[in-house]
Amino acid sequence: MIFNKNLVNIIISSTPGIISIFLSFFTIPIYLNYLGFEEYGNFLILHILLSVVMITNFNLGKIASIKIQKVLKKTKISIISTTIATSIISSAFVCLLLYFIYLFYISLYDDLIFKNYKILFIALFFSNIYVTLENISKGLKYYFLSSFSNLIFYSLSLSLPALFILLDFNSYEDVTTLFNISLCIKIFGILLIVFTLIYKKFINLKFSSEILKDFLVYGKWQTLSSAYVQIFDFFDKYLIKIFLGAASLSTYSIPQQIAGKLSIVSDGLISVFIPKISSSKNKKKTFEILNSNFYGFFYLIGFLLILINPLIDEILIWWLKANATLDVIFLFKIFLIVSFYICITHIISTFLDTQKLSKKNSQIETFVLFFFIIGLIASVYYKNINFFAYTMLIRSLIAFFIKAFYIRNFLLNYNILLIQNIIFVLIFLFSINKNFLLFYFFSGLFLLLVFFYFPKEIIKKEFLK
């Protein structure tokens, strides 16, 4: 059995996340032991705030990466050059606008919790540029380049400051100083892509009016969808920081951060999925690409999550030791389900984007937002950290089931998929409630359905020679 190019590229794209998990096992205990939950929470919120890049980037790189699959190299160069120039101009404008709004607010409110974080706006500018460049790299199928730069920009920028703490804690105990180190590391990741694109002669002074039209047509819907992702994935953390404090944010974010590493596989898969399905010219091929990637993730990751579930408590206690509180363990199990459904929903959302159905993504997310806001209001009212986690779970399930229903005609064995997902959720809920008899019963039922309905042929065709 030999892996084909698609699977090799997915593995390359997923490697930064795997390394990130390895680094987290070492660096999170360092941060907690030296900084404590409070200061580590303040360090995390700076990185979390940069997630607004999903909105301020306007998805320019993603739109360009889809577009360049269907044009000749000469046109690709003009599209890439136009995209980078547009990204620099739009990023500078947005960051300056946000900075002036920020100055206005701190002049009115002395107790603003982000008062001393002016460096954020410089970091946001570079983050906008990076996201554009990374998407272009993926569109060009430079998977090793995008993976290595991703490792630097996200993983190393968050983890390497811990080494400075170990070397000289007194000089690096300040959160802003640590974040400055993170920013320098991020800039290095950007320069790596820029120099590669220049060396490969993908940047010149020729511009494309056609891609500008695509930015206007598709950018608004993809940006709206990204705005919803920002709200769904990060607004809960802002509220916890404000109403429950930085220590609670650490308790909440650590299990969410680790469970969120499931996106390593889905992001790696999507990196290869976007150019491949964007260049597909017939419905049968599109159907096979979607289902092989969707079910490949669903069955592989679903099976692994069930397998490790009985060991989760012991693993967390071994890793975090005294910091492995009951709250952390409970939240980790909840966020494993949340992350799983966010990942498979992301695959569906990406499919809709490649089929020029970004508007449908936005409409579904608008509907889901209503229930999400209700959950957040209840969570803030009761000041219960577990309510925030359940709100995230309900939101992720609603979004998945609606989007899966919308593309049901594109999905193989949709009715069986529906039953499998109900069983999968029950498996984890029984585990959380320590009902191991029902946990093992439904786990066996899930695996039985996998045995009978696993789409072996299309997955073999997609990922094996």
Side-chain angles (χ1 to χ4, degrees):
M1 186 180 295
I2 303 174
F3 297 162
N4 67 9
K5 190 175 181 179
N6 292 330
L7 188 54
V8 170
N9 287 333
I10 291 172
I11 293 171
I12 291 172
S13 299
S14 302
T15 299
I18 296 170
I19 296 174
S20 175
I21 293 176
F22 179 77
L23 291 174
S24 297
F25 273 104
F26 291 96
T27 57
I28 288 178
I30 293 172
Y31 284 127
L32 292 177
N33 290 333
Y34 282 88
L35 299 180
F37 276 91
E38 185 79 21
E39 283 303 295
Y40 182 52
N42 289 328
F43 181 63
L44 279 179
I45 197 65
L46 288 169
H47 289 273
I48 291 169
L49 284 168
L50 287 181
S51 64
V52 75
V53 70
M54 292 188 294
I55 303 171
T56 57
N57 175 256
F58 302 124
N59 285 279
L60 303 180
K62 184 177 180 180
I63 294 169
S65 71
I66 294 172
K67 185 73 174 180
I68 61 178
Q69 306 307 314
K70 304 171 183 179
V71 297
L72 299 174
K73 183 175 180 179
K74 184 178 178 180
T75 308
K76 283 183 183 181
I77 295 172
S78 62
I79 288 174
I80 291 169
S81 302
T82 306
T83 302
I84 294 173
T86 305
S87 182
I88 292 172
I89 295 169
S90 64
S91 298
F93 175 77
V94 169
C95 291
L96 282 172
L97 178 62
L98 291 175
Y99 180 66
F100 288 130
I101 293 172
Y102 164 82
L103 291 177
F104 173 74
Y105 270 95
I106 63 173
S107 69
L108 296 177
Y109 304 102
D110 290 334
D111 58 344
L112 193 70
I113 60 175
F114 308 124
K115 186 173 182 179
N116 299 318
Y117 297 156
K118 295 179 181 179
I119 190 67
L120 267 174
F121 298 94
I122 298 174
L124 179 60
F125 171 79
F126 284 111
S127 296
N128 281 324
I129 305 303
Y130 172 75
V131 172
T132 297
L133 292 170
E134 185 189 28
N135 276 298
I136 289 171
S137 298
K138 292 175 181 178
L140 291 171
K141 301 179 182 178
Y142 290 168
Y143 297 115
F144 183 81
L145 173 64
S146 63
S147 296
F148 189 53
S149 64
N150 182 284
L151 174 66
I152 296 170
F153 194 87
Y154 292 112
S155 301
L156 296 184
S157 69
L158 185 60
S159 298
L160 283 186
L163 297 180
F164 287 83
I165 293 176
L166 282 178
L167 294 171
D168 187 0
F169 173 64
N170 292 328
S171 299
Y172 299 104
E173 60 180 333
D174 180 70
V175 167
T176 305
T177 303
L178 292 173
F179 188 72
N180 287 338
I181 296 170
S182 294
L183 178 56
C184 292
I185 297 169
K186 288 178 183 293
I187 292 173
F188 183 77
I190 293 172
L191 293 176
L192 180 65
I193 300 181
V194 171
F195 288 144
T196 302
L197 292 179
I198 293 173
Y199 176 75
K200 295 286 186 179
K201 298 181 180 179
F202 274 107
I203 299 177
N204 61 22
L205 296 177
K206 295 181 180 179
F207 299 102
S208 167
S209 59
E210 188 177 351
I211 192 63
L212 291 175
K213 293 177 183 177
D214 282 0
F215 292 155
L216 293 174
V217 174
Y218 303 114
K220 59 179 180 293
W221 294 115
Q222 292 195 21
T223 301
L224 181 59
S225 294
S226 297
Y228 285 142
V229 171
Q230 166 70 202
I231 294 170
F232 291 141
D233 289 357
F234 298 99
F235 193 55
D236 55 328
K237 299 181 188 66
Y238 304 146
L239 293 177
I240 290 171
K241 163 70 175 175
I242 294 169
F243 292 101
L244 278 72
S248 294
L249 177 64
S250 291
T251 301
Y252 184 84
S253 294
I254 289 172
Q256 189 180 50
Q257 180 184 343
I258 300 302
K261 298 299 182 183
L262 285 181
S263 64
I264 293 165
V265 182
S266 63
D267 288 347
L269 183 150
I270 287 169
S271 298
V272 181
F273 175 76
I274 288 178
K276 199 169 191 308
I277 203 165
S278 298
S279 59
S280 174
K281 296 181 180 179
N282 64 76
K283 290 184 177 180
K284 182 181 177 183
K285 185 64 176 176
T286 300
F287 178 86
E288 290 177 350
I289 295 171
L290 171 63
N291 281 276
S292 57
N293 284 273
F294 177 86
Y295 280 108
F297 180 89
F298 178 76
Y299 285 125
L300 173 63
I301 302 303
F303 173 75
L304 290 176
L305 290 183
I306 293 172
L307 196 64
I308 68 166
N309 191 282
L311 305 174
I312 287 174
D313 293 36
E314 288 76 12
I315 292 172
L316 289 176
I317 292 170
W318 168 79
W319 174 44
L320 295 175
K321 296 180 174 58
N323 293 313
T325 63
L326 291 175
D327 284 337
V328 169
I329 294 172
F330 175 82
L331 289 170
F332 182 74
K333 291 183 177 180
I334 292 290
F335 285 128
L336 272 181
I337 322 174
V338 173
S339 297
F340 179 78
Y341 279 100
I342 287 175
C343 288
I344 55 176
T345 304
H346 189 197
I347 295 172
I348 297 175
S349 299
T350 302
F351 169 72
L352 291 173
D353 285 340
T354 61
Q355 304 304 302
K356 299 182 178 180
L357 294 170
S358 300
K359 183 177 180 180
K360 180 55 64 176
N361 266 331
S362 300
Q363 291 172 337
I364 294 172
E365 299 295 354
T366 302
F367 175 77
V368 176
L369 181 64
F370 173 75
F371 298 96
F372 185 68
I373 291 174
I374 292 174
L376 290 182
I377 291 172
S379 302
V380 170
Y381 179 79
Y382 289 103
K383 293 187 176 180
N384 189 317
I385 200 169
N386 292 336
F387 283 14
F388 282 98
Y390 280 122
T391 297
M392 294 294 292
L393 175 60
I394 293 169
R395 168 256 154 178
S396 64
L397 291 176
I398 292 175
F400 166 71
F401 282 111
I402 292 176
K403 290 190 179 184
F405 177 79
Y406 181 75
I407 67 163
R408 63 192 182 280
N409 293 330
F410 292 94
L411 290 173
L412 190 66
N413 299 323
Y414 170 75
N415 291 330
I416 300 299
L417 175 68
L418 192 64
I419 295 170
Q420 285 176 317
N421 278 278
I422 293 172
I423 292 172
F424 188 82
V425 174
L426 288 174
I427 288 170
F428 271 81
L429 292 179
F430 288 132
S431 171
I432 291 168
N433 291 300
K434 305 293 184 181
N435 192 330
F436 295 111
L437 180 63
L438 289 175
F439 167 79
Y440 286 114
F441 172 77
F442 280 98
S443 295
L445 188 58
F446 180 85
L447 295 176
L448 192 63
L449 288 173
V450 172
F451 178 79
F452 283 107
Y453 293 99
F454 183 74
K456 181 176 66 175
E457 293 303 320
I458 60 171
I459 289 178
K460 182 179 178 181
K461 183 178 179 181
E462 179 74 5
F463 299 116
L464 302 174
K465 288 185 179 179

